[in-house]
Each structure stands twice: as C-alpha cells, then as structure tokens.
C-alpha cells in the first residue's frame, strides 16, 4: 500500500488554508496547516512532510525568504516547495528563491493537484 | 560726410562738421587734444552720433623712417548693428535671469565643458547654502551618494553627445533630506552647431513619486485582496463539483454542502465590500459622487444603523447616547456610510474589546456632532492625520483581521467635507480611538 503523503500549508489567509486543506484531504493527502511563518522549521522537524505549499506573504513575512531558508538548510532542502500568491508577476521571484513550482491565485484546484502530484512523484522516484 | 566738405580739404571744416554730429563733442575734442600732446599713443574710442549711429574710432601714430611721428591714421568703423545686437543679448540675458529667478524650479547654466556658470536663487533656498559655496564646491555635494556615479556618467554622455539630458535623482535639501527631482538639460548652440552653453532645470517631484508609490502599492493590494476571496470561492465550488461528479463514491448527505456555502457566502460579502470601496473611490476621483440632499433625523439614522449592525454582529455591544436631537440636511445614505465606516473600524480595530459607544451632541450653536468611541488598539499620533488620506494603511498591514483597502476613512472624510462638515480623531495607542463627524445645523 502506498505511503500517505503529508503536505504542509503555510498561508495567513485562513480561508485559503482551509479550502486547500479540505480539498487535499478529500484527495487523500494528510494536511498540516499554519498561518504563520515562524514555526515552519519546527513543524518540518517534528513531522514527516513531503511537500510545502507556501504563500508569498505570510502576515508580514516574505514567503520567498522562508523558501530560501528551507532550501539553504540541508535538513529541509529536499522537500519540494510549491509557492502560491495573489501578487502579480511573482513567478520569477519565487523561482529565484528556490521554489520548485508556482501557482498564482486564484488558482484552479485541478492545477494545484496536478502540480502537487508531479512534485511528490518526483520525490518518490528519488 | 558730404562731398563738398571732403573736397574742401579744410581740416577745420571737417572737425566742425564731425562735432556737429556727435552727442558728446567736447569729449571728442578733449581726446583729440590729448592725442596731439601724446603723439606716440594708439587709441580706441566709441563715438555716439546724434542720429543713433555708433562708431568705433581707431587712432594710430604714423612714424617716419627716423622714428619721428609725422601723422595719424584715424579709421572709423560703423558698429551700430553690433552694439544693438549686444544690447539685445544683454536684455535677453536679463530676461532669462528674471525668468529663472521667478520659476519654482532650480535653474542652472553651464559652459560647454560642463562647469556651472549660474545657479538661480532657488538653489540657495532649497539647499540652504550660498551660491558662492555652490560655485566653489559644485552641486554634486547635494547628490545622494547612491546616485552620484549614475549622474556623472549620464552628464558626461550628455556633454559629449549634446543630446537632451533627462534624469530623475535625489538632492539633499536644507533639512538634510533627499528629495526626488526631475532634471532636464539641453544645449544652446551657435549657427555652426557648436555648443555655447548648457541650460538645465531641476523640478522637485517628491510628491509625485510618493503618490506613484502609493498607487503601485494600492494596485498590488487590490490584486491581493480581491484574489483571496475569489480563490476561496473557486476552491469551494470546485471541491463540491468534484465531489458531485464522483457521486457514486460519496453520498450527497455526507458532502460538506452547508459549511461550503456558508464560507462562499462570507467571501462574497467580503468581495462585495471591496468592490463597493473601489467604486466609491473612483467616483470620488471623478467627482461624480452625487449627493441627494434631504432633511432627515440624525437620531433615527443612528438608531437604525446600529440595529442593522447588531443584527449581523452579535459579539460587540454598541451603546448609543442621544444627548441632542437634530435634523440635518444631507444625503442620508452617505452619512449612514460614514457612520457604518466608523463603527466597523471600531469593531475591526478592537480585536480584544467588545464595546463601542456612540454619542450625538451639540457642538457649539452651529454644529451637531456624532462620535464613535472604541477601546481598541488606537492610532499613533503621527498616523492620525494620515489615516484620512487615500490609500493610507494599505502598505505593511497584511494581517487578515485588518484587511481592506485603507480608503474607508478617506471616503468618509470626503463625504463629510462635501456636506460642509468636518471630521476628527482623538486616539491613544492601546486605549482606543474616538472618531467624530460634525455637520452644520441649518437654521
């Protein structure tokens, strides 16, 4: 039987976090959710997380900074990061920060699921 | 000179004729005598004729082989046109200076090498240092350290090519603050196309820059704020659709229908509020906000508005003190909008407190005041004036509980001003705020 894939959602917009969680759980993922950037490392340390969905603005903290931090840290660098944002023209910035993929709000649920699927498959192959 | 005088070969007659033409004949005679006494001298003099002609008079001694002086050579050149041109030039230079001193911009001229030859007095006023110091040290002392290299590069290119110069950079004012300027310069060329001098102007564009920045931030914020509820609504709808399409797996009764619809409805309310704010703002900008003026009871308006708000918000308690009864002329819906804005702000910025007080009272004999007092986070004194400005509060506040465009108070203040009223705030950080609007009482 396939191992359950765990996703961490980091978004200060509770509504977005909530609907993403509902959607991903419905699709069979295990979901952890936080609306602040500070505890991300702590959560990753204590849980077996397979992918991070990271908003670009989390209550005043830049998501790109969080992404750089994760990618610079040997303990977390391997975890794929999917960045999401409502800000215009943000893809390049996110890619530069080391994000593995990117989706802009308002996104299609199918798009998010497809990208999560791709990123987690890649990880399992490795 | 008339031919009969020339032909007469009479020195006396020539001299007499010449003197009759001159404006200052005595000066001329004095010079002639002086030259007679000092035969070795050369001379250049300007002679002014009564008919306006100006003549340059050159005198040279003529020497014999033994070195003795035996004659003079006098030549006369009509320089009237040259002098007139010089006068026009001087007049034009004067006009230029006057114009330069009048303009609010800082004006500079420079010689072809780029060395500054003139600073208008606005430079002194702006920089708080004398022109002498500016000439001595150059205006580069006012440049922002980060801009110097780029300015010098562009300036060099400008001097070499003679193309028009246009650049935005920062200059330090007398308070030591750097303000953005738009600098324009162009070459003044002679008929052969050689650069004679450069003329440049500096216009302070700090306010425009700030406004541009606020607009950019505002558009970013609109995009962010509007997309969030749309994303949530889309998410719920797509989740339900995807569940319904696989009905065989899940019975409808176990789908999160009710909770999804409640969330969708909440997000639509949020979206509607944002769109209304935006429309109000654009109408204000186009001055299309039409007021429908009728007499109405301010007390009734307050009572009804509070009832409406309490219907949707059961957590906060709003107490109303009718210390004065007033009917005013105004647009009831717009005044209601201001009141709703005040009350909602009170609620929004009081996350830990749950009461708001509204008081209606007479302010002097000409005005009625309505104040809304909350016990929330308050506003720092330096921010109190700015909160009535457009887009203020947009940047730096991404916390969900304070979401919005930061234009509610700007709209409120515009509405009250168009009613010939005024608006005020008294606040202390950590203690709360009192927002008050005053409307004129119609006697």
């Amino acid at each position: 039987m396939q191992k359950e894939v765990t996703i961490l959602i980091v978004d200060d917009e509770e509504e977005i976090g909530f609907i993403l969680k509902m959607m991903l759980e419905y699709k069979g993922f295990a979901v952890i959710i936080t609306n602040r950037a500070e505890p991300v490392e702590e959560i990753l340390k204590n849980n077996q997380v397979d992918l991070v969905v990271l908003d670009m603005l989390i209550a005043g903290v830049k998501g790109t900074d969080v992404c750089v931090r994760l990618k610079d840290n040997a303990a977390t660098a391997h975890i794929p990061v999917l960045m999401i944002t409502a800000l215009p023209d943000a893809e390049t910035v996110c890619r530069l920060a080391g994000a593995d993929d990117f989706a802009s709000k308002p996104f299609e649920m199918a798009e998010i699921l497809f990208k999560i699927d791709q990123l987690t498959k890649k990880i399992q192959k490795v | 000179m008339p031919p009969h005088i020339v032909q007469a070969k009479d020195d006396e007659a020539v001299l007499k004729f010449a003197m009759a033409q001159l404006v200052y004949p005595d000066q001329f005679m004095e010079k002639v005598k002086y030259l007679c006494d000092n035969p070795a001298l050369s001379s250049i003099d300007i002679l002014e004729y009564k008919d306006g002609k100006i003549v340059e008079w050159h005198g040279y001694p003529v020497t014999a082989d033994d070195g003795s002086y035996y004659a003079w050579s006098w030549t006369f050149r009509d320089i009237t046109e040259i002098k007139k041109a010089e006068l026009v030039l001087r007049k034009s230079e004067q006009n230029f200076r006057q114009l330069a001193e009048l303009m609010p911009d800082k004006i500079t001229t420079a010689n072809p090498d780029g060395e500054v030859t003139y600073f208008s007095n606005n430079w002194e006023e702006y920089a708080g240092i004398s022109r002498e110091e500016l000439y001595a040290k150059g205006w580069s002392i006012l440049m922002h350290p980060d801009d110097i290299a780029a300015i010098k590069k562009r300036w060099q290119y400008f001097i070499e090519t003679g193309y028009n110069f246009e650049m935005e950079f920062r200059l330090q004012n007398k308070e030591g603050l750097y303000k953005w300027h738009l600098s324009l310069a162009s070459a003044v060329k002679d008929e052969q196309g050689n650069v004679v001098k450069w003329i440049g102007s500096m216009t302070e564009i700090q306010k425009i820059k700030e406004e541009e920045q606020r607009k950019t931030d505002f558009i970013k914020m609109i995009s962010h704020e509007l997309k969030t509820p749309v994303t949530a609504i889309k998410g719920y709808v797509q989740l339900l659709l995807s569940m319904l399409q696989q009905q065989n797996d899940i019975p409808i009764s176990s789908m999160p229908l009710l909770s999804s619809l409640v969330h969708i409805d909440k997000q639509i309310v949020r979206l509607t509020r944002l769109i209304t704010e935006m429309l109000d703002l654009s109408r204000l900008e186009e001055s299309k906000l039409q007021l429908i003026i009728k007499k109405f009871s301010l007390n009734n308006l307050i009572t009804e508005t509070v009832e409406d708000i309490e219907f949707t918000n059961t957590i906060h308690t709003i107490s109303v003190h009718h210390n004065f009864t007033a009917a005013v002329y105004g647009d009831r819906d717009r005044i209601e909008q201001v009141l709703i804005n005040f009350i909602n702000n009170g609620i929004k910025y009081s996350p830990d407190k749950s009461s708001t007080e509204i008081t209606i009272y007479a302010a002097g004999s000409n005005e009625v005041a309505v104040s809304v007092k909350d016990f929330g986070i308050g506003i720092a004194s330096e921010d109190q004036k700015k909160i009535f400005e457009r887009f203020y509060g947009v940047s730096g506040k991404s916390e969900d509980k304070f979401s919005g465009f930061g234009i509610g108070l700007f709209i409120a203040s515009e509405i009250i001003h168009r009613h010939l009223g005024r608006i005020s705030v008294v606040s202390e950080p950590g203690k709360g705020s009192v927002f008050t609007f005053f409307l004129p009482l119609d006697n």
Side-chain angles (χ1 to χ4, degrees):
Chain A
M1 203 187 120
Q2 209 184 357
K3 174 180 105 41
E4 195 176 45
V5 175
T6 303
I7 296 173
L8 169 64
I9 298 169
V10 191
D11 196 328
D12 64 338
E13 292 283 353
E14 277 168 27
E15 283 295 330
I16 306 289
F18 192 71
I19 180 60
L20 268 173
K21 183 170 159 19
M22 268 177 92
M23 189 66 160
L24 294 174
E25 280 176 349
Y26 169 65
K27 290 290 174 183
F29 295 101
V31 177
I32 305 169
I33 190 162
T34 173
N35 58 7
R36 283 173 44 241
E38 293 77 17
V40 168
E41 272 96 343
E42 190 66 23
I43 294 171
L44 293 179
K45 206 169 115 188
N46 298 329
N47 300 271
Q48 171 69 43
V49 172
D50 302 288
L51 180 129
V52 179
V53 176
L54 180 63
D55 187 27
M56 211 174 140
L57 260 182
I58 316 128
V61 178
K62 280 184 186 165
T64 42
D65 291 348
V66 178
C67 189
V68 168
R69 236 163 53 204
L70 295 182
K71 291 296 174 185
D72 280 352
N73 182 346
T76 52
H78 66 280
I79 306 173
V81 175
L82 168 64
M83 289 201 67
I84 51 173
T85 186
L87 294 174
D89 309 320
E91 177 156 7
T92 316
V93 189
C94 292
R95 298 272 186 194
L96 283 174
D100 296 85
D101 211 341
F102 171 88
S104 55
K105 292 180 190 173
F107 39 67
E108 300 291 323
M109 278 297 161
E111 180 194 357
I112 292 284
L113 289 171
F114 176 76
K115 289 184 168 172
I116 288 178
D117 219 38
Q118 291 233 312
L119 291 172
T120 48
K121 257 184 207 152
K122 221 187 271 174
I123 273 292
Q124 277 162 4
K125 263 184 208 160
V126 172
Chain B
M1 203 172 278
H4 70 274
I5 297 181
V6 179
Q7 284 153 13
K9 295 191 177 174
D10 177 353
D11 288 353
E12 203 66 25
V14 171
L15 207 56
K16 212 169 153 192
F17 174 81
M19 285 185 55
Q21 310 284 311
L22 293 173
V23 181
Y24 307 108
D26 297 343
Q27 274 180 17
F28 174 69
M29 270 319 289
E30 254 172 56
K31 186 73 188 233
V32 170
K33 276 180 195 148
Y34 180 75
L35 289 173
C36 286
D37 297 339
N38 300 280
L41 291 179
S42 303
S43 66
I44 302 174
D45 289 87
I46 302 294
L47 303 176
E48 285 177 54
Y49 282 64
K50 281 177 182 161
D51 62 0
K53 223 188 306 169
I54 297 168
V55 169
E56 201 173 62
W57 165 35
H58 285 250
Y60 305 99
V62 182
T63 49
D65 290 343
D66 63 359
S68 66
Y69 305 102
Y70 74 95
W72 276 308
S73 158
W74 285 359
T75 54
F76 296 88
R77 188 161 69 108
D78 187 338
I79 56 163
T80 314
E81 289 309 311
I82 298 171
K83 279 286 160 190
K84 265 190 199 161
E86 269 178 23
L87 198 73
V88 169
L89 196 68
R90 205 176 321 135
K91 189 86 193 150
S92 140
E93 180 73 14
Q94 245 173 25
N95 285 348
F96 166 77
R97 291 279 154 116
Q98 199 171 352
L99 189 68
E101 301 294 320
L102 257 178
M103 293 217 297
D105 306 289
K106 292 171 266 302
I107 307 293
T108 313
T109 63
N111 67 20
D113 299 331
E115 188 195 335
V116 176
T117 47
Y118 167 71
F119 287 106
S120 66
N121 61 352
N122 291 337
W123 279 95
E124 285 185 323
E125 259 167 53
Y126 178 80
I129 54 176
S130 70
R131 267 185 258 208
E132 288 67 35
E133 206 176 333
L134 275 168
Y135 286 123
K137 294 181 180 164
W139 62 280
S140 62
I141 54 167
L142 303 175
M143 293 175 195
H144 192 283
D146 295 349
D147 296 341
I148 290 177
I151 298 173
K152 292 206 162 153
K153 203 172 148 193
R154 283 282 280 281
W155 183 253
Q156 197 54 41
Y157 178 74
F158 166 65
I159 299 284
E160 279 163 15
T161 60
Y163 294 151
N164 284 354
F165 178 86
E166 183 179 340
M167 193 176 178
E168 289 178 6
F169 49 76
R170 290 156 287 183
L171 290 179
Q172 194 176 37
N173 69 9
K174 56 186 157 202
E175 280 108 40
L177 303 170
Y178 287 98
K179 302 282 180 187
W180 279 99
H181 281 74
L182 170 67
S183 171
L184 299 173
S186 65
V188 181
K189 293 177 183 169
D190 63 14
E191 277 167 9
Q192 283 78 46
N194 302 313
V195 175
V196 183
K197 67 170 158 187
W198 310 102
I199 298 185
S201 71
M202 305 270 176
T203 311
E204 190 176 319
I205 52 164
Q206 183 68 22
K207 284 224 168 82
I208 300 169
K209 278 265 169 189
E210 282 168 10
E211 192 72 13
E212 263 174 24
Q213 189 55 46
R214 276 215 290 272
K215 278 219 158 139
T216 311
D217 290 348
F218 179 63
I219 287 164
K220 264 193 190 168
M221 195 45 76
I222 287 181
S223 139
H224 196 264
E225 289 286 322
L226 290 179
K227 280 176 182 172
T228 301
V230 172
T231 307
I233 292 167
K234 222 168 150 173
Y236 287 110
V237 171
Q238 288 179 357
L239 175 66
L240 290 180
L241 278 174
S242 124
M243 286 175 163
L244 282 168
Q245 276 156 2
Q246 300 172 24
Q247 243 191 73
N248 302 338
D249 306 340
I250 320 161
I252 288 187
S253 57
S254 72
M255 289 182 194
L257 279 177
L258 189 66
S259 74
S260 296
L261 287 173
V262 168
H263 280 285
I264 289 170
D265 189 49
K266 227 170 84 183
Q267 294 304 309
I268 290 173
V269 169
R270 181 170 166 187
L271 203 54
T272 312
R273 176 172 58 78
L274 293 173
I275 291 167
T276 310
E277 273 192 16
M278 266 176 64
L279 282 178
D280 279 345
L281 183 71
S282 70
R283 267 187 301 197
L284 277 180
E285 296 216 319
E286 293 166 18
S287 297
K288 276 186 191 158
L289 190 80
Q290 295 266 331
L291 297 179
I292 301 160
I293 306 289
K294 278 185 186 148
K295 193 170 187 176
F296 67 92
S297 159
L298 204 50
N299 302 74
N300 287 351
L301 174 71
I302 294 169
T303 308
E304 285 169 26
T305 307
V306 169
E307 275 172 9
D308 283 350
I309 290 178
E310 281 180 329
F311 182 72
T312 51
N313 186 318
T314 47
I315 304 161
H316 275 74
T317 54
I318 305 168
S319 55
V320 183
H321 307 284
H322 291 276
N323 295 351
F324 186 62
T325 307
V328 293
Y329 282 95
D331 187 322
R332 196 178 191 273
D333 290 345
R334 292 291 166 192
I335 300 295
E336 183 184 13
Q337 193 183 343
V338 175
L339 197 58
I340 291 173
N341 176 269
F342 279 14
I343 299 170
N344 280 342
N345 275 345
I347 294 171
K348 188 160 106 178
Y349 292 105
S350 308
D352 309 319
K353 298 283 177 350
S354 58
S355 68
T356 306
E357 274 177 33
I358 301 175
T359 311
I360 172 167
Y361 60 95
S365 53
N366 304 322
E367 283 180 318
V368 55
V370 177
S371 69
V372 177
K373 183 177 184 180
D374 69 60
F375 304 91
I377 59 169
I379 305 149
S381 58
E382 65 265 29
D383 289 336
Q384 286 178 15
K385 265 199 178 148
K386 296 186 203 152
I387 52 173
F388 296 111
E389 286 173 15
R390 198 174 345 185
F391 311 148
Y392 190 77
V394 168
S395 52
K397 282 189 183 130
S398 64
E399 299 99 309
D400 183 42
K401 56 186 164 190
F402 301 141
S403 77
F405 289 154
I407 54 179
L409 280 174
F410 169 69
I411 293 169
S413 114
E414 280 291 311
I415 290 171
I416 295 298
H417 285 141
R418 288 187 195 191
H419 281 84
L420 306 177
R422 59 201 173 87
I423 203 160
S424 81
V425 60
V426 177
S427 182
E428 198 180 327
K431 295 246 169 99
S433 310
V434 183
F435 281 92
T436 309
F437 68 81
F438 302 80
L439 289 174
L441 283 170
D442 203 83
N443 296 320

